[in-house]
């Protein structure tokens, strides 16, 4: 029994390491094509349909998510602030939380569910129906033709959608605070200032979030199992892996960017 358990653990570990190796090889090929041929016009023209799919069609879900997160934060925090007589400062908490953490993370998670699932399903279906093999036979690398435009669209459009989510989150929190909770408008904005660094902190993270979504989704599509069940399983794994990557990256970015801020400006504005 111990020998069988050790063998099973060893086999699982080997499979995981092998999957990581395949993924990083896939990433390396993607960046190789991106920097050698990805910026040519014949490749850039493939980018615009993907930008429409990733950006324009994601606006409604990002808008709803951002707006209601700001509203929920206002409703949940107003009682605590009123208990200490500081309800006019609620805007500071809402705006700072939205632009630094909640806006970028939730926008990325929504994209991982909507865009990531769609990319994995599309490429997974192409893999199952041997369309990827057909591209290779015709002398066209599927990573250059299919992955690079989707990866670029995720990288470029995720920050734009993050800004949109941040804006609606701030406006949603303000609308509920002022019109529903009775907080005066002028003091709300007076104590709601957010520094440029804090805004850029959330936007800068979103580039990496978008890149992770694009790479993981395309890789899962390229390596999906056969049949409908294989594609469905790949979509589930794509979302889970993207979500974990976003959360882990957010933790490390929070620590690194905090230390950068302290080294540049001191502890002012951290707390």
């Amino acid at each position: 029994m111990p020998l069988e358990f050790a063998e099973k653990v060893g086999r699982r570990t080997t499979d995981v390491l092998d999957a990581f190796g395949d993924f990083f090889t896939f990433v390396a090929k993607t960046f190789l094509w991106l920097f050698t041929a990805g910026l040519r016009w014949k490749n850039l023209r493939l980018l615009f349909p993907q930008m429409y799919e990733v950006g324009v069609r994601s606006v409604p879900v990002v808008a709803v998510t951002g707006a209601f997160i700001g509203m929920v934060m206002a409703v949940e925090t107003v009682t605590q602030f009123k208990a200490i007589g500081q309800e006019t400062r609620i805007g500071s908490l809402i705006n700072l939380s939205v632009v630094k953490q909640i806006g970028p993370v939730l926008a990325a998670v929504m994209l991982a569910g909507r865009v990531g699932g769609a990319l994995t399903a599309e490429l997974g279906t192409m893999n199952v129906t041997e369309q990827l093999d057909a591209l290779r036979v015709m002398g066209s690398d599927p990573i250059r033709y299919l992955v690079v435009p989707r990866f670029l669209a995720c990288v470029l459009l995720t920050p734009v959608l993050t800004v949109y989510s941040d804006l609606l989150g701030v406006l949603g929190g303000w609308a509920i605070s002022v019109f529903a909770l009775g907080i005066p408008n002028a003091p709300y904005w007076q104590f709601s200032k957010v520094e440029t660094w804090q805004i850029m902190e959330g936007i800068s993270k979103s580039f990496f979030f978008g890149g992770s979504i694009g790479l993981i989704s395309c890789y899962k599509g390229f390596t999906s199992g056969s049949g409908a069940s294989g594609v469905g399983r790949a979509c589930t794994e794509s979302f889970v892996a993207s979500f974990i990557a976003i959360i882990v990256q957010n933790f490390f970015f929070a620590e690194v960017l905090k230390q950068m801020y302290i080294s540049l400006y001191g502890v002012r504005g951290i707390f």
Side-chain angles (χ1 to χ4, degrees):
M1 183 67 68
L3 183 61
E4 293 179 0
F5 177 75
E7 183 181 356
K8 185 180 296 185
V9 171
R11 188 183 302 112
R12 181 64 61 87
T13 304
T14 303
D15 292 341
V16 170
L17 292 176
D18 185 57
F20 269 105
D22 290 343
F23 175 70
F24 285 115
T25 301
F26 179 85
V27 172
K29 290 181 179 179
T30 301
F31 278 99
L32 179 64
W33 277 115
L34 175 64
F35 292 117
T36 56
L39 299 180
R40 297 176 183 174
W41 170 249
K42 69 176 182 178
N43 297 322
L44 283 178
R45 63 186 175 83
L46 302 172
L47 176 63
F48 300 113
Q50 301 305 321
M51 293 181 72
Y52 173 79
E53 290 293 327
V54 173
V56 176
R57 298 191 64 177
S58 299
V59 167
V61 65
V62 171
V64 172
T65 302
F68 276 91
I69 283 299
M71 296 178 186
V72 169
M73 288 194 64
V75 171
E76 291 293 336
T77 56
V78 67
T79 304
Q80 286 77 16
F81 275 74
K82 281 186 176 181
I84 59 175
Q86 297 292 331
E87 62 271 17
T88 56
R89 296 180 180 268
I90 189 176
S92 176
L93 174 66
I94 294 173
N95 295 351
L96 186 61
S97 300
V98 167
V99 301
K100 282 188 67 175
Q101 299 294 339
I102 299 178
V105 170
L106 283 183
V109 170
M110 291 299 103
L111 288 176
R114 202 207 75 80
V115 175
L119 293 181
T120 303
E122 181 182 10
L123 296 178
T125 303
M126 296 179 71
N127 181 41
V128 170
T129 56
E130 299 180 348
Q131 295 181 51
L132 300 183
D133 294 332
L135 283 173
R136 295 186 182 99
V137 169
M138 292 187 295
S140 179
D141 193 306
I143 292 181
R144 177 192 67 82
Y145 189 77
L146 298 173
V147 177
V148 172
R150 288 162 172 79
F151 169 71
L152 270 178
C154 290
V155 171
L156 297 177
L157 270 299
T158 303
V160 177
L161 293 170
T162 296
V163 172
Y164 187 56
S165 175
D166 291 347
L167 176 62
L168 290 178
V170 170
L171 293 178
W174 164 76
I176 293 296
S177 299
V178 173
F179 298 108
L181 303 177
I183 297 175
N185 183 60
Y188 179 92
W189 288 114
Q190 180 182 354
F191 297 111
S192 299
K193 295 180 180 178
V194 178
E195 296 182 6
T196 303
W197 173 276
Q198 294 160 341
I199 297 175
M200 296 308 299
E201 183 176 335
I203 296 175
S204 62
K205 292 189 292 187
S206 63
F207 284 98
F208 294 90
F209 294 164
S212 299
I213 294 169
L215 289 172
I216 292 172
S217 302
C218 292
Y219 172 75
K220 288 296 184 181
F222 267 53
T223 58
S224 66
S226 59
S229 61
V231 175
R233 187 162 51 250
C235 291
T236 302
E237 293 174 354
S238 170
F239 174 74
V240 173
S242 298
F243 179 77
I244 293 174
I246 291 166
I247 296 299
V248 172
Q249 287 183 84
N250 189 55
F251 168 76
F252 286 104
F253 274 118
E255 182 63 26
V256 170
L257 292 174
K258 185 181 77 172
Q259 295 302 325
M260 289 178 60
Y261 185 93
I262 293 175
S263 65
L264 291 173
Y265 304 106
V267 297
R268 173 181 60 87
I270 288 292
F271 304 104

